[in-house]
Every structure is written in C-alpha cells, then in structure tokens.
Amino acid sequence: MGLDGLVVVSDPYLQRRFSQADLRALQAQYAALRDASPSGRLRLRDLPAALSSGLGVGGAGKGGGAEKENSAPEAQLTEEEWASVLKAVPRADDRPQQGVGFELFLRVYAEMQLRLKGAKKAGGGIARSSSSSAAAFLTAATTTLLHTISESEKASYVGHINAYLAEDPFLKTALPIDPATDHLFHLTKDGVLLCKLINLAVPGTIDERAINTKKLLNLWEKNENHTLCLNSAKAIGCTVVNIGTQDLAEGRPHLILGLISQIIKIQLLADVNLKSTPQLVELVEDSKEMEELMSLSPEKILLRWMNFQLKKGGLQRTVTNFSSDIKDSEAYACLLNVLAPECSAKPSPMSVKDLLHRARLVLEHADRMGCKRYLTPKDIVDGLPNLNLAFVAHIFQKRNGLSKQMKQVSFVDGLFDDAQVSREERSFRLWINSLGIYTYINNVFEDLRNGWVLLEVIDKIAPGSVNWKMANRPPIKLPFRKVENCNQVLKIGKGLKFSLVNIAGNDIVQGNKKLILAFLWQLMRYNILQLLKNLRFHLNGKEITDNDILIWANKKVKDSGKRSRMESFKDRSLSSGIFFLDLLGAVEPRVVNWSLVTKGEKDEEKQMHASYIISVARKLGCSIFLLPEDILEVKQKMVLTLTASIMYWHLKRPASYSLDTENGSSCETSSVSTSDDSASESSFDDNGTR
C-alpha cells in the first residue's frame, strides 16, 4: 500500500487494467486468502480453487452459492482452462518459497477474467459463497471491477465532448449532454459519437463517409458503427480486449466510460513526444538521457516535464504520480506560477491552508490561462489520477514553457526516423498492443531491445514456444541478460522458419531498426498465415502461402462480376483502390457505397479511395493498422495484411450467415460463432458476434 491508501503496482499492464478501487478491494482479498492459508502464503496451484470458490466459477456445485439474478447459468473454467491461465501468466518474478506475490495474484485474476468473458458476458451477478466472508469480499471486488463508474470522470468527459463536438453537424442537435444523467450512455448506442470522438483524437482515422449517420439506424447499421469504432480505437492505440460490439449496443457504462477515457487521453497526450514537440529535448542533458526519454510513455514524459518546470520554480520535491503527490495543490501552484506568472492573483494558493480552497485557487489561475478544467477542487484533493493527468496534459497543450529555439546538441542528429520507417514502426506497435500482451509499448525500437516484449508476442502467436524459465524479466540492468532474451527470440524464429540471415541477439539489443522491422514483419506474417491455416473447416488445416491469398482475392472479385485484378501485392495499379473496393463489395455487397467510388485516376480520387477502403474494412470487422499512404504507395507488406485480413473475416463467417434486409438484423442458422477471445487472433478478429 502506498501513500494515502494508494495501491502501487509496478506492472504497466496492471496499472491500466485495474482502478485504485479495484486494487484496494483485491489487495484486501489477497491478504484474506493468504492469511487463511495454513502456511501463511499462497501457492500458485492454490489459486484456481481459491478464486473458483470465491467467485462461484470453475467449481460449480461446491459452494452453495446464492441464486443469481435472472437465473443465469454459472460460468466455469475447466481444469484444462485453469492450466492454460496459469501457463499464460508471466511469472518470472514468482518465488515459490515466499508464495504468490500480489502482482502475480492480479495477473492470474486478470487472465481469469479474460477467459470468463469467452464463456459469459460479464453482466449478471456472480454467485457468492455464504460460507466465506473473504469470498464475499472478492465478489464485491468483482462487482466493483465490472460496474463502478466515477461520476467525476463522467462529468469531465461529458464536458470534453460538449466542448469539442458542439458544432458537429450530426451531433449538435443531441448536445450538450447533461452530465447528471445517463444520456451519454444512451447517445453512444448507435456508435456515431464514439467514431466522431476517435477522429477528434487522431484526425483522419475514420473516413466519416463510412459511418452510418442517418436519423434512424437499424440493428445491422448500429453494429457496423460499433465494429468500425472498436477496430479504429485499436488502430489509435486503445486497449479494447474486454469490449465487444454488444457492450456498446447495450450502453454498458463502465466499459463505455473506460473507452472514452482512453480516447480522450490519446487526444490530450498527442503532442507529448519528441516528434511533435522537439523542444522536449530541453529535459535531457546527454544521449543516455535522450534514449531514456524516447522509451518513456507520454505520461512519464509529462511527469518529467512537470518536474523540470517545478525545479525552475524552486520546488524541492519530485512529483512521481498524478494522484497522491498533487493532492495538496503545492505542485500545481508552483507549475502555474512558472508558466503564467501574469495570471496569478491574491490570495496565493500556498497562503491558504484549507486544501479545497487552495485547489479552487489553482483552478481559477488555470481559468485565467485559458485552460479547461477537467476536474473540480475535490477531484484534486481526492487525487483522481485520470482527471489530474487530463488537466496537466491540457496545461502542456496550452503553454509548455519550453524554448521555441530548440537547443542544438549533437545527440539530436538522426533523432527522427524517415516517414516510411515511422509508418512501419507505428503499424507494428499498434499490432503488438492489440494482441493483449501484458506490456504496453510506446516505441518499438526502444521497448523491444530487452527481448521480453518479443517473447510475449511470440507466446501469443505461437503458444508454448517460449521457455519462460530461461527468460529474464524486466527491469534488466545487465546487457548480457537482454542478449539472452533476444537469442531465445531468434532461436524460436528459426524454429518457425523465419529468414534470419545476418541477425544476432545483440542487433536487437542495440536497436538496429532495419533488422527489428524485418523480424516484426515475419512475426506479423506468421500470425496472419497461422490464423488462416487454423480455419480448418474452410482450408483443411493446410499450409497457407502468400500466393493462396492472392488467388483467393482475384477469384472473389472475378466471381462477383468485376473486372479488376491484382497481379501481385506490389501491383502499381492497386494505388487506385478499385481492386480493394471490388474485393470488399464481393465479400459483403452492401458494405460499399458505390456512389462514392470514382475511376481512381486522379491523386485526390486515389486518396479518397484509400481512406474509404480502410474504414470500410474496419467496419466489416477487419482489424488493420495500415495508413492510406500504404495503399497509395502500394507497400507490399501492408497490402498483404489488408488482403489477408479481408480473407480471414470472410472465411471465418458461418456459411449460413445472411442478412434480413427488412429489419437489418443478422441471422445465423449455424451454431458456429464468429467471436473468439483468443488474444492471438485479436489483430484480425472482429469485435463481436454478428
């Protein structure tokens, strides 16, 4: 337990996965389970029974659980599924002699939740064991995890939406939203608001011509919007592993608010990087610090910037988080005085002892600077991290206090990659983050150098191939330990028949961009081909080649009556976009609005087609990470991923899948489901059943 009741976890995945309320409840449950053990410690093999008996899952019939609302059947994990859960959880920090630590407990709990989502949507109650107060507490923790929302956060995000989307032609009649009501969650049920919000965060992500925006949308059209929203959210870096289209259609508050929080965070942190704000170089003194800065998340960079400004103001303390460290408003008062001394007024915040009054004076200072509040005085005193982060990010946007003249230092030379390298890095980074691994990466070339993330990725796409006993878990200080991880990565790659000529583990540790990108492409391609191969009911489990994908695409277009053709994945004629529009129309005739399609001869027409193709593919259910430029320039790798993703979506659909055009609902006369919670499929899977 940290300061002022703050539960501190070192793993970034766990920081994102659980709120402070969840962590406090789960920590109490962890302590109860540990104390109840005869040995005073939890063993890994004890967790399935402990969690199952507490949650009423995986051990139905053993606990005398109370009957749940709606008499929903109990979700269960079998022994095999529990074995898979324990195998999937990284536990290099596990020390059997000391028992299961809290963070390992959290990882097992989180993995269990992911598996349960495949068995049962988390909407009903969870059976409580009347024989165990600890089990009841875990039930409370689960309820908190799944259903608690912060009214302060809701009000803040509603204010953001009202301010930024007030003039949107489609939404302006529905705005402003009243934060005191649940209107926000009703308004998101058609998917339009969320799509608009994504475009606000990263302009151009969604071609708005692909959004269904007529006044009354049928179920099919709403589902298309939700699918487009979730695939586009992944494409800008959101984590949507636990969210499906049905969750959005039902307006589930905790999930919708979590998604909106991520989207707004991406918008506010868009400039907190060296590429967008090169003046951040002021924060470093040498090349070693520069490397460290480049590997930091935007949140960590924002903290470093804040401390840089606080040092200017003479504040002796260091801010390490957006919660307990700023509850007393001292750091805020100093920061605003450094950035905008002309906006200060009397009484000064630090002359006031009452923390609420002091926080109010800080926000009044920010108002005079023209900053949006994002939070109330009480939110500051309560230390709400998401809202404090939003507030500081907005201050950075308005006035960062950095020199407009970037200092000339030698280690800045070659800092920024060329456009093509940057695009490839972006695509691979977003693909990796979409897999649902435990580590969230911010920079491919920096974050992969210790080999650990690559091992996580390989474990997702080729389960069982990683020897975790031989892996070194971060933080890794000794360089040769990093090389050991990277050597195992390459050894596995050779076993998967990757082309690994002239590449050694040390090349990855040294951050060789060309070799890292080449290896990542082979990982992505392997993932694509394995997913297609695993569709045994279509392909009989045979090996799939690039040429098979090419032949399939040409046949689909020809069979639909169209005349376009692709000679190879680097066919220059693909830049017009016509072939991909024909392919999308062939796999789902109603998805392309042909009135928007031109001959694709002029550059402007090609640009419009490329943008539209990506959004239409995502609207179908394809999770893709390319940019319009990749189609315009016919980048072979990205063109292959686009084609393969369309093929995967089409082949995974049940053969009897049809559309009732009268009411817009999708019908299936087969029991085969199109949803799959396997993280290794998340890069190409659709986000919910159709």
Side-chain angles (χ1 to χ4, degrees):
M1 187 77 75
L3 296 173
D4 300 311
L6 188 70
V7 181
V8 179
V9 290
S10 60
D11 191 327
Y13 170 80
L14 298 176
Q15 294 169 9
R16 297 192 311 275
R17 183 71 175 80
F18 300 111
S19 69
Q20 275 297 308
D22 304 329
L23 289 172
R24 284 192 292 270
L26 288 169
Q27 188 178 60
Q29 178 57 24
Y30 165 75
L33 291 172
R34 184 192 59 204
D35 294 344
S37 171
S39 63
R41 59 185 175 87
L42 275 176
R43 295 173 299 181
L44 195 63
R45 64 175 180 266
D46 295 334
L47 289 184
L51 292 175
S52 297
S53 61
L55 283 171
V57 295
K62 295 181 181 180
E67 187 172 331
K68 297 192 304 181
E69 287 182 28
N70 305 324
S71 300
E74 204 61 71
Q76 299 183 36
L77 291 185
T78 64
E79 289 185 9
E80 291 78 10
E81 288 170 331
W82 268 116
S84 177
V85 166
L86 299 181
K87 181 179 178 182
V89 174
R91 51 179 188 271
D93 56 344
D94 182 28
R95 295 177 177 84
Q97 297 81 5
Q98 300 176 19
V100 172
F102 180 52
E103 292 200 14
L104 180 54
F105 173 81
L106 289 177
R107 291 188 204 109
V108 173
Y109 183 82
E111 187 71 22
M112 179 192 71
Q113 288 286 329
L114 292 178
R115 303 305 172 97
L116 283 175
K117 186 170 177 63
K120 182 190 81 163
K121 281 288 184 180
I126 296 177
R128 303 191 180 199
S129 170
S130 58
S131 62
S132 169
S133 60
F137 203 98
L138 184 56
T139 304
T142 307
T143 304
T144 299
L145 175 65
L146 296 173
H147 298 291
T148 293
I149 65 170
S150 163
E151 290 298 326
S152 293
E153 288 192 22
K154 184 178 79 169
S156 178
Y157 302 150
V158 164
H160 181 96
I161 291 168
N162 288 339
Y164 282 96
L165 292 175
E167 299 304 316
D168 183 88
F170 183 82
L171 294 172
K172 62 183 180 182
T173 57
L175 300 180
I177 302 169
D178 183 356
T181 70
D182 287 335
H183 184 51
L184 170 65
F185 308 119
H186 294 291
L187 195 57
T188 56
K189 287 184 177 180
D190 64 9
V192 178
L193 173 62
L194 294 172
C195 287
K196 299 277 188 176
L197 203 56
I198 287 170
N199 262 1
L200 188 63
V202 183
T205 299
I206 298 175
D207 187 325
E208 297 203 359
R209 297 175 300 168
I211 305 174
N212 299 319
T213 55
K214 67 184 185 183
K215 192 169 184 180
L216 291 175
L217 300 177
N218 60 40
L219 295 177
W220 172 267
E221 291 163 333
K222 291 178 182 179
N223 190 66
E224 284 186 326
N225 282 349
H226 296 145
T227 305
L228 174 60
C229 163
L230 290 178
N231 282 318
S232 299
K234 279 196 282 187
I236 65 171
C238 293
T239 302
V240 296
V241 173
N242 291 322
I243 309 175
T245 55
Q246 190 62 28
D247 298 316
L248 302 184
E250 294 173 2
R252 294 190 175 180
H254 57 292
L255 295 175
I256 289 173
L257 206 62
L259 180 58
I260 289 175
S261 172
Q262 290 187 74
I263 296 170
I264 291 177
K265 179 179 171 183
I266 287 169
Q267 177 187 348
L268 293 176
L269 295 175
D271 293 331
V272 187
N273 59 76
L274 280 162
K275 189 169 185 179
S276 300
T277 310
Q279 294 83 3
L280 283 166
V281 73
E282 280 191 57
L283 307 187
V284 301
E285 295 297 333
D286 54 38
S287 58
K288 185 175 181 180
E289 287 190 8
M290 176 62 75
E291 286 185 8
E292 182 185 351
L293 186 68
M294 291 182 67
S295 68
L296 293 179
S297 66
E299 297 94 322
K300 296 292 186 183
I301 294 176
L302 203 60
L303 281 172
R304 179 170 287 201
W305 165 79
M306 189 174 183
N307 285 313
F308 175 78
Q309 301 297 351
L310 295 179
K311 188 175 180 181
K312 285 185 186 177
L315 191 66
Q316 299 301 312
R317 56 192 276 198
T318 299
V319 174
T320 62
N321 58 63
F322 293 105
S323 183
S324 58
D325 284 2
I326 48 183
K327 284 183 174 184
D328 61 5
S329 297
E330 183 180 7
Y332 277 149
C334 180
L335 177 66
L336 298 183
N337 277 330
V338 170
L339 298 177
E342 74 280 5
C343 296
S344 59
K346 293 185 177 180
S348 67
M350 294 315 298
S351 67
V352 175
K353 291 186 177 181
D354 180 74
L355 294 185
L356 276 174
H357 188 190
R358 185 186 295 175
R360 190 175 301 111
L361 293 175
V362 162
L363 292 178
E364 289 172 0
H365 190 160
D367 285 342
R368 291 190 289 272
M369 290 173 59
C371 294
K372 291 184 175 62
R373 288 197 173 193
Y374 285 101
L375 74 179
T376 65
K378 187 176 185 301
D379 297 332
I380 294 177
V381 174
D382 288 345
L384 297 184
N386 285 342
L387 299 188
N388 278 296
L389 172 62
F391 181 53
V392 176
H394 189 66
I395 293 172
F396 181 89
Q397 280 186 344
K398 294 293 290 186
R399 191 178 302 194
N400 60 39
L402 299 172
S403 173
K404 293 182 180 179
Q405 297 294 323
M406 193 173 77
K407 66 181 182 180
Q408 299 299 311
V409 287
S410 59
F411 53 82
V412 178
D413 295 338
L415 176 65
F416 305 119
D417 303 315
D418 62 57
Q420 179 56 30
V421 170
S422 293
R423 289 215 308 266
E424 286 195 53
E425 186 277 336
R426 170 195 171 276
S427 295
F428 291 131
R429 169 167 38 88
L430 294 170
W431 170 67
I432 289 171
N433 286 332
S434 77
L435 295 174
I437 65 173
Y438 286 92
T439 306
Y440 188 93
I441 65 171
N442 298 288
N443 183 300
V444 160
F445 304 124
E446 295 299 322
D447 295 348
L448 301 191
R449 289 171 61 177
N450 62 20
W452 180 264
V453 174
L454 286 171
L455 290 172
E456 287 189 86
V457 172
I458 290 171
D459 194 51
K460 283 293 182 183
I461 67 174
S465 57
V466 176
N467 183 349
W468 289 110
K469 292 181 179 179
M470 301 297 293
N472 302 295
R473 183 179 178 83
I476 307 171
K477 295 182 179 180
L478 298 175
F480 79 91
R481 295 295 187 193
K482 299 177 183 179
V483 174
E484 286 178 348
N485 280 352
C486 294
N487 284 341
Q488 184 181 176
V489 165
L490 297 180
K491 181 180 179 181
I492 297 169
K494 289 176 182 176
L496 299 177
K497 297 182 171 56
F498 289 2
S499 175
L500 298 173
V501 180
N502 297 326
I503 178 172
N506 194 52
D507 293 317
I508 299 175
V509 175
Q510 295 301 317
N512 187 310
K513 294 178 181 179
K514 181 179 178 180
L515 295 177
I516 288 173
L517 291 177
F519 186 80
L520 286 175
W521 163 242
Q522 293 187 81
L523 276 178
M524 179 184 273
R525 180 176 173 276
Y526 176 84
N527 185 213
I528 297 167
L529 298 182
Q530 285 301 112
L531 291 174
L532 290 171
K533 176 186 173 182
N534 290 339
L535 295 177
R536 297 183 184 279
F537 59 93
H538 283 292
L539 304 169
N540 299 318
K542 77 179 186 73
E543 294 295 331
I544 301 297
T545 66
D546 297 0
N547 194 50
D548 291 328
I549 299 170
L550 180 72
I551 292 171
W552 172 86
N554 280 324
K555 185 176 187 304
K556 288 304 297 182
V557 171
K558 183 179 179 180
D559 290 350
S560 72
K562 299 290 185 177
R563 300 176 63 181
S564 61
R565 180 175 175 79
M566 170 170 57
E567 297 300 330
S568 72
F569 293 113
K570 50 186 178 182
D571 185 338
R572 299 305 302 174
S573 69
L574 295 174
S575 65
S576 71
I578 296 298
F579 179 81
F580 289 118
L581 289 167
D582 286 345
L583 179 59
L584 289 164
V587 299
E588 178 49 71
R590 65 176 301 283
V591 79
V592 177
N593 182 349
W594 292 104
S595 68
L596 302 174
V597 178
T598 61
K599 293 181 178 180
E601 296 173 348
K602 300 177 181 178
D603 288 345
E604 183 180 355
E605 292 175 343
K606 292 179 179 179
Q607 176 71 42
M608 297 288 279
H609 282 176
S611 174
Y612 187 56
I613 287 164
I614 292 172
S615 289
V616 169
R618 288 176 179 152
K619 184 176 178 178
L620 270 185
C622 302
S623 186
I624 48 179
F625 304 101
L626 73 167
L627 292 170
E629 291 82 357
D630 295 316
I631 297 175
L632 295 172
E633 298 170 17
V634 194
K635 294 302 178 183
Q636 183 179 0
K637 297 173 185 176
M638 294 299 107
V639 167
L640 171 58
T641 63
L642 172 61
T643 312
S645 182
I646 297 170
M647 179 181 180
Y648 179 73
W649 176 84
H650 177 71
L651 294 182
K652 196 176 182 189
R653 249 182 359 170
S656 57
Y657 174 88
S658 64
L659 172 67
D660 179 357
T661 53
E662 291 298 317
N663 59 29
S665 63
S666 58
C667 306
E668 295 178 15
T669 56
S670 166
S671 62
V672 180
S673 172
T674 61
S675 65
D676 191 326
D677 285 306
S678 170
S680 65
E681 295 194 9
S682 64
S683 60
F684 291 95
D685 201 1
D686 52 295
N687 290 289
T689 56
R690 283 184 177 261

